[in-house]
């Protein structure tokens, strides 16, 4: 039997792609998700891609009793990958307590269960948001963290600290935080992808919905930044490449290749693209014209960030491989599939 991995938030955007990669690498998976921001059909689509149906349980990990009950019924879990969290930056500003309670309680319930039920391997879904606007680019893992711009971002920084402190007093527990840059794209099968509820906040879902005619035009939030074309720069990483980093992290923990019992890695491509570069790459990759207009800056946006990925490349033996065009085309194919566009 393969090793069993608990994937929390496994029906979400990054979670579902990671379940696929784990199963294709021979791991068994049990998903826990409360379906607050995803659909149960994702499990069917994971099965269609991999030929294997992951186990699935629907409950809220912020509920301590239900979480403990799950671990008492599932004594053979080898590792946890923890994705389940609220992630809308703007909403987190409006509902800080909901964000802190949900994101941090679920994390602490899981860590407590690791200790009480002898699960020793933990991978956490963190974010480059912990760096804020760095003084020096690209950012390495030793770039200092900066105060978060939003309660959402703060939950990631606090979660990293909780994991670090937990690992310090629990030497048997091995933990890795993966600091994602901007995950985009969809599985090449177009069976899973990103499904934002309502008006998308993030750039690529807004682009694909505009291309599909659901939105009139893309608003480009500011072209007066100190960048070559004036629009902000990010490190956009293909979600399948990103998911593969989790498989490598799990292998590192299970096979004792980690160097300390709390490690963290930048998971990006190392390349920065401006908003306008991304818009042009989308039009080139898909042949679809994208209406856009330049509007004012969005509050809380940073000017530019991209990753130095050498530590992840050398230590994990992992590297992002897919081109930006291929990635944007996969996002467009997913949007077309969802909308029934030929
Ligand atoms: C945000 C969060 C980050 C989170 C990520 C994915 C912040 C500071 N960071 O990243 O923590 O992990 O979402 O959920 O909030 N843009 C437009 N028009 C749009 C949408 C976006 O011009 O309609 C621009 C933004 O100004 C930004 C870039 O596109 O320059 C990327 O925006 P977005 O996709 O929202 O990601 P981030 O803000 O980088």
């Amino acid at each position: 039997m393969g090793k069993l991995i608990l994937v929390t938030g496994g029906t979400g955007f990054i979670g579902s792609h990671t379940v696929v990669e784990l199963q294709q690498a021979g791991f068994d998976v049990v998903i826990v998700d409360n379906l607050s921001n995803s659909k149960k059909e994702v499990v069917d689509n994971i099965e269609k891609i991999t030929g294997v149906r992951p186990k699935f349980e629907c409950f809220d990990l912020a509920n301590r009793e239900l979480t403990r009950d799950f671990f008492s019924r599932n004594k053979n879990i080898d590792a946890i990958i923890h994705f389940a969290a609220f992630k809308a930056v703007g909403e987190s500003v409006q509902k800080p307590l909901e964000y802190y309670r949900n994101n941090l309680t679920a994390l602490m319930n899981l860590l407590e269960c690791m200790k009480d039920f002898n699960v020793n391997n933990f991978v956490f879904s963190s974010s480059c948001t912990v760096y804020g606007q760095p003084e020096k680019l690209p950012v390495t893992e030793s770039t200092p963290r900066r105060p978060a711009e939003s309660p959402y971002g703060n939950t990631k920084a606090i979660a990293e600290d909780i994991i670090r402190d937990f690992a310090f007093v629990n030497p048997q527990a091995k933990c890795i935080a993966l600091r994602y840059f901007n995950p985009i794209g969809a599985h090449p099968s177009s069976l899973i992808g990103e499904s934002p509820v309502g008006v998308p906040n993030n750039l690529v879902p807004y682009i694909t919905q505009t291309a599909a005619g659901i939105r009139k035009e893309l608003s480009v939030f500011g072209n007066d930044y100190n960048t070559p074309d004036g629009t902000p720069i990010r490190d956009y990483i293909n979600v399948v490449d990103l998911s593969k980093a989790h498989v490598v992290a799990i292998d590192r923990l299970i096979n004792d290749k980690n160097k300390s019992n709390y490690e963290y890695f930048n998971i990006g491509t190392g390349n920065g693209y401006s908003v306008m570069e991304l818009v042009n790459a989308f039009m080139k990759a898909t042949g679809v014209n994208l209406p856009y207009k330049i509007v004012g800056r969005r509050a809380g946006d940073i000017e530019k960030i991209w990753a130095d990925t050498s530590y992840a490349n050398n230590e994990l033996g992992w590297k992002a491989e897919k081109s930006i065009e291929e990635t944007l085309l996969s996002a467009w194919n997913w949007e077309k599939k969802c909308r029934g566009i030929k």
Side-chain angles (χ1 to χ4, degrees):
M1 259 194 20
K3 299 275 187 194
L4 179 62
I5 316 298
L6 163 60
V7 180
T8 78
T11 50
F13 173 41
I14 307 173
S16 58
H17 288 82
T18 299
V19 172
V20 165
E21 295 305 317
L22 285 167
Q23 291 190 330
Q24 289 180 338
F27 291 99
D28 294 332
V29 174
V30 52
I31 294 173
V32 171
D33 200 303
N34 67 358
L35 299 178
S36 65
N37 196 24
S38 59
K39 297 223 159 54
K40 178 119 195 275
E41 293 77 79
V42 172
V43 179
D44 305 331
N45 290 331
I46 291 171
E47 183 180 4
K48 277 186 202 148
I49 297 171
T50 64
V52 180
R53 190 168 185 85
K55 288 199 207 85
F56 174 77
E57 289 204 25
C58 181
F59 71 90
D60 191 342
L61 292 152
N63 183 316
R64 193 175 177 198
E65 277 65 49
L66 292 179
T67 305
R68 294 190 70 84
D69 175 66
F70 170 84
F71 279 91
S72 64
R73 288 182 288 105
N74 291 274
K75 293 242 165 73
N76 51 345
I77 290 171
D78 294 289
I80 300 168
I81 308 182
H82 181 40
F83 294 105
F86 292 161
K87 60 166 190 179
V89 176
E91 184 185 59
S92 79
V93 175
Q94 300 307 318
K95 301 179 176 173
L97 297 185
E98 279 91 332
Y99 269 69
Y100 288 115
R101 184 179 292 119
N102 183 66
N103 292 5
L104 299 176
T105 310
L107 170 70
M108 289 189 285
N109 287 341
L110 283 170
L111 294 177
E112 182 183 72
C113 287
M114 278 179 74
K115 189 165 151 47
D116 293 349
F117 295 91
N118 281 317
V119 180
N120 292 330
N121 303 305
F122 189 79
V123 176
F124 178 66
S125 141
S126 190
S127 168
C128 71
T129 194
V130 300
Y131 296 116
Q133 176 60 66
E135 269 165 28
K136 254 180 70 189
L137 287 164
V139 285
T140 70
E141 285 76 358
S142 43
T143 298
R145 290 188 342 190
R146 295 225 153 151
E149 292 278 349
S150 68
Y152 158 77
N154 207 20
T155 66
K156 293 295 179 193
I158 297 171
E160 285 194 355
D161 292 345
I162 292 173
I163 296 165
R164 179 201 61 206
D165 296 348
F166 172 81
F168 181 70
V169 289
N170 291 286
Q172 80 293 348
K174 295 178 284 178
C175 305
I176 290 179
L178 299 179
R179 292 175 174 168
Y180 314 150
F181 284 67
N182 286 52
I184 61 165
H187 196 266
S189 64
S190 299
L191 285 165
I192 52 174
E194 190 172 8
S195 302
V197 177
V199 182
N201 295 310
N202 297 118
L203 179 59
V204 170
Y206 207 102
I207 288 178
T208 56
Q209 289 197 10
T210 305
I214 297 156
R215 313 279 157 208
K216 193 168 133 265
E217 61 194 352
L218 170 74
S219 296
V220 174
F221 297 140
N223 67 349
D224 57 350
Y225 286 94
N226 182 23
T227 61
D229 67 16
T231 63
I233 295 176
R234 299 285 185 274
D235 183 335
Y236 296 93
I237 174 164
N238 184 292
V239 65
V240 175
D241 280 340
L242 174 73
S243 296
K244 289 181 175 161
H246 296 77
V247 180
V248 174
I250 287 291
D251 171 70
R252 181 174 178 92
L253 295 179
I254 287 182
N255 294 308
D256 285 324
K257 297 181 198 159
N258 54 306
K259 295 219 164 117
S260 80
N261 77 327
Y262 171 55
E263 299 180 304
Y264 45 93
F265 297 93
N266 284 345
I267 303 298
T269 67
N271 301 315
Y273 282 86
S274 74
V275 174
M276 279 317 301
E277 282 175 331
L278 203 80
V279 166
N280 290 324
F282 179 85
M283 293 200 268
K284 187 166 161 240
T286 63
V288 180
N289 183 49
L290 192 82
Y292 68 88
K293 67 168 180 219
I294 310 286
V295 300
R297 291 183 178 197
R298 181 172 71 175
D301 272 349
I302 59 160
E303 186 165 270
K304 50 191 163 198
I305 189 165
W306 62 95
D308 181 326
T309 59
S310 19
Y311 188 58
N313 298 159
N314 298 334
E315 269 303 314
L316 296 176
W318 165 91
K319 200 173 190 324
E321 283 167 355
K322 294 185 192 287
S323 71
I324 196 79
E325 284 81 14
E326 181 182 0
T327 301
L328 289 167
L329 189 57
S330 73
W332 176 229
N333 287 337
W334 163 247
E335 187 74 56
K336 285 200 292 185
K337 177 89 183 296
C338 294
R339 311 287 166 191
I341 300 170
K342 288 274 171 270

